[in-house]
Amino acid sequence: MLRPTTKDLAKAAGVSRATVDRVLNGRDGVRQKTVDRVQKAIRELGFVRNLQAANLAKSQSYHFVFALPRSGDQFLERIVQHIDEAMEIFSTDHVSCDVRHIDENDPHSISDFLDSLSPHEVNGVAIMSPETPQVRDAISRLQDRGVAALPFVSNQTMMDPDWVGINNRAAGATAALLLGQFIGRQEGSVMVIAESMQSRDSLERRLGFDEEINTAFEQLRVLPSLETYGNDARAGEIIAASLASNSDLVGIYVMASEARKPLTILQDLDINPSIIKIAHELTPYTEQALRAHTLDGVIAQDAGHLVRSAIRRLKGNVDQRRTIGSQENIRIYILLRTNI
């Protein structure tokens, strides 16, 4: 059976195609009684609007902004590469994207940046930022101005349904299970390295990690999280101090999305090679470290899928259409030197 058209809809509702077009686009000038007749015809005919054709007809374009942290290394570089690729993929939908870098440790500057975005210039924003009251309020103001917004990689509590990222609690638990199985029955302490525990993804990873370790590996003692704040000098100092204070170290978990600097520091400190190390995200550095046996496992998410999902979700928000849930489910991958 052919899919019903606006002509069929107009005939079934007893109105003109121009009236159907006004109803579909939510324009004024149509009596409620007429709107109800058109809506009834939509239900009875099973009419599904071809949004792509409609957008092309009215020259609809989409301009999305990815607000990404200033700090970050190869993982963010990979994200940016996939944003460039996605613009080619979505070019037929008239989608363009910009990358803007924010200071993730300064919520007031993030708030000012979000407040500066005009709905006349930007249709939607994907935001990778720690959760703070200032950022939450700025996102609410942004949405009130008619700009679509969603949390990207790092979640915001009030925006759970729109979030694009993995289940970080499950990711932390997976890291704990992998590390614990590699360590075996050996007793000792585990170092945990994060960029900032203000980030909800780090908080949830730590909760999942602790829950699994405490349940399945009681012989392991997990140390307080070390926060580097993206500062190389600070990272070197606190990692060296923790190594000196914990001679029974048997495992290291790098929770941050960018593992290159902590792992480089650990290598420079010439730690015992038998210490098991688990990190997040596949980057050129973590791939090389896996191959060189200086890293034991990586818990990863598909950066390309993250970007494409964010664009689809933002576009769906602008078009007032829901995306397909299964298509947007970001999976957790376990990578070892044998399957990279």
Side-chain angles (χ1 to χ4, degrees), residues 102 140 152 171 206 238 311 321:
I102 56 177
S140 293
F152 183 69
R206 179 70 203 242
I238 60 177
I311 292 174
R321 291 193 65 174

Side-chain angles (χ1 to χ4, degrees), residues 23-302:
V23 173
L24 290 175
N25 288 288
R27 290 197 288 269
D28 296 332
V30 184
R31 292 181 301 170
Q32 187 58 47
K33 193 173 181 180
T34 303
V35 172
D36 293 341
R37 289 215 314 271
V38 173
Q39 295 290 357
K40 182 181 177 183
I42 288 172
R43 292 191 297 271
E44 291 178 347
L45 294 179
F47 176 82
V48 178
R49 192 180 184 197
N50 187 335
L51 267 177
Q52 185 173 9
N55 287 340
L56 289 173
K58 62 183 180 180
S59 299
Q60 171 70 50
S61 60
Y62 307 84
H63 183 205
F64 300 137
V65 170
F66 282 81
L68 305 179
R70 288 179 185 169
S71 68
D73 195 0
Q74 295 178 346
F75 178 62
L76 284 183
E77 288 176 4
R78 182 156 288 187
I79 290 286
V80 173
Q81 289 171 1
H82 284 293
I83 291 171
D84 292 338
E85 292 173 2
M87 281 198 289
E88 295 184 18
I89 296 171
F90 290 96
S91 61
T92 56
D93 293 328
H94 294 249
V95 171
S96 64
C97 299
D98 281 338
V99 174
R100 302 289 295 274
H101 291 286
I102 56 177
D103 183 350
E104 69 277 20
N105 295 316
D106 185 352
H108 295 285
S109 70
I110 299 173
S111 174
D112 291 342
F113 165 70
L114 295 177
D115 286 342
S116 73
L117 298 177
S118 166
H120 302 295
E121 299 173 352
V122 177
N123 299 100
V125 185
I127 307 160
M128 185 175 174
S129 163
E131 182 175 20
T132 64
Q134 295 84 358
V135 173
R136 287 198 303 268
D137 292 346
I139 290 173
S140 293
R141 292 192 297 270
L142 191 67
Q143 293 173 319
D144 289 343
R145 297 198 303 275
V147 178
L150 56 80
F152 183 69
V153 181
S154 185
N155 199 5
Q156 306 283 329
T157 303
M158 68 177 187
M159 304 178 73
D160 279 341
D162 298 318
W163 173 52
V164 175
I166 56 174
N167 180 332
N168 279 300
R169 193 158 186 156
T174 303
L177 178 60
L178 192 61
L179 184 141
Q181 289 184 336
F182 273 132
I183 292 172
R185 297 183 178 181
Q186 186 178 3
E187 296 182 2
S189 60
V190 176
M191 180 189 296
V192 178
I193 304 172
E195 187 162 305
S196 170
M197 293 307 294
Q198 286 186 327
S199 174
R200 187 176 169 191
D201 53 341
S202 290
L203 283 170
E204 292 183 347
R205 287 175 185 178
R206 179 70 203 242
L207 287 171
F209 188 83
D210 286 352
E211 184 176 24
E212 181 63 25
I213 289 288
N214 293 335
T215 300
F217 306 100
E218 295 180 351
Q219 81 280 15
L220 299 178
R221 178 176 62 95
V222 184
L223 302 172
S225 301
L226 303 178
E227 296 179 276
T228 68
Y229 300 120
N231 184 301
D232 292 350
R234 172 185 169 83
E237 291 174 3
I238 60 177
I239 290 173
S242 183
L243 285 171
S245 301
N246 298 281
S247 58
D248 65 339
L249 196 70
V250 293
I252 297 173
Y253 173 38
V254 182
M255 286 199 303
S257 295
E258 183 53 60
R260 185 182 68 85
K261 195 60 187 181
L263 291 176
T264 300
I265 291 169
L266 289 166
Q267 190 170 0
D268 291 342
L269 291 170
D270 196 25
I271 66 169
N272 187 333
S274 68
I275 294 175
I276 301 300
K277 295 176 287 298
I278 303 296
H280 279 274
E281 311 312 346
L282 183 65
T283 66
Y285 184 87
T286 55
E287 180 177 343
Q288 186 276 330
L290 283 173
R291 295 187 189 279
H293 297 210
T294 57
L295 180 63
D296 298 284
V298 169
I299 311 300
Q301 52 193 320
D302 187 327

